[in-house]
Amino acid sequence: MIMIKSNKAKKTFLGLSALLFSASLWAHGGAAGTDTDQCKFELEKDHWLHYTAYEPGSFPSEEFCASIPKLDEKILLVFDYQDQRYRGHAVEFEVTKEPEGTRVFFLPAAKHKSGTVELVLPNGVKEAGKYLIHISLVPDKGEKLDAHMSFSAGGGAATAKTTYALYALGIFGAFFMGYLSSAGFKRKVDETVAKIIS
């Protein structure tokens, strides 16, 4: 009877472990597919631009999206075209402080053949609060298309979700290696899990 519970516990434990390593679970902030990606703009129906914000001075390996922690520090906004069609169109970028609408950055319309655009705000932003990124597609013919995305700045030092995820993954990896390599530890884990699920 204990052996059956132990096997059930092992299967449950290994099933949960497999979920942890699922790429679709971790993609775009832990949700499957790009439809839940909060760091993207839809310029036209089903045609997207993805963006990532960085503050390399204080957070060299962190990526941000809706919240940038520090003021008065260089901000790098990187936009990646997820659609080849935009490489042939001129795209304009602007960042404004809201609700005033005060312009803090502007990049005139230009074609970006590489599919990646880097906006550098050398001194970051001066005031805490809400900002709006305006992206305008300026086609050779037809109407100008606009998309907007907001972010907040000056919320203080924050650790990105990806960093927490990496810490959790490292701890889980060490735990799992201990589980696989130590018979005594494995037995204790199996017994504990069997008690929990019974």
Side-chain angles (χ1 to χ4, degrees), residues 28-81:
H28 304 290
T34 57
D35 290 341
T36 54
D37 184 357
Q38 297 177 7
C39 295
K40 69 177 184 178
F41 292 85
E42 186 176 30
L43 286 178
E44 299 175 274
K45 184 168 174 47
D46 298 324
H47 297 290
W48 304 92
L49 230 99
H50 184 273
Y51 114 97
T52 308
Y54 300 91
E55 282 194 314
S58 293
F59 306 96
S61 61
E62 305 249 2
E63 296 180 359
F64 300 98
C65 176
S67 182
I68 298 175
K70 297 192 96 176
L71 300 174
D72 299 316
E73 186 167 313
K74 177 181 177 181
I75 296 174
L76 179 63
L77 303 176
V78 179
F79 297 85
D80 294 303
Y81 297 167

Side-chain angles (χ1 to χ4, degrees), residues 70-183:
K70 297 192 96 176
L71 300 174
D72 299 316
E73 186 167 313
K74 177 181 177 181
I75 296 174
L76 179 63
L77 303 176
V78 179
F79 297 85
D80 294 303
Y81 297 167
Q82 294 183 327
D83 196 320
Q84 296 283 335
R85 65 188 276 144
Y86 295 134
R87 297 182 186 200
H89 293 297
V91 181
E92 176 182 286
F93 295 87
E94 181 182 26
V95 179
T96 57
K97 172 74 175 77
E98 298 301 321
E100 306 89 340
T102 309
R103 180 186 283 178
V104 296
F105 181 87
F106 180 71
L107 182 69
K111 293 181 182 180
H112 304 278
K113 297 288 186 182
S114 68
T116 297
V117 183
E118 292 184 6
L119 309 184
V120 180
L121 286 67
N123 300 313
V125 292
K126 302 290 181 192
E127 299 176 52
K130 183 179 174 183
Y131 290 81
L132 201 59
I133 302 170
H134 309 263
I135 298 180
S136 300
L137 178 66
V138 186
D140 296 331
K141 296 178 182 177
E143 293 184 19
K144 185 177 181 179
L145 301 171
D146 295 306
H148 309 280
M149 182 170 186
S150 64
F151 69 88
S152 61
T159 303
K161 289 179 184 177
T162 53
T163 300
Y164 284 129
L166 289 174
Y167 289 152
L169 194 59
I171 291 167
F172 177 79
F175 176 82
F176 193 64
M177 290 300 291
Y179 176 82
L180 292 177
S181 62
S182 171

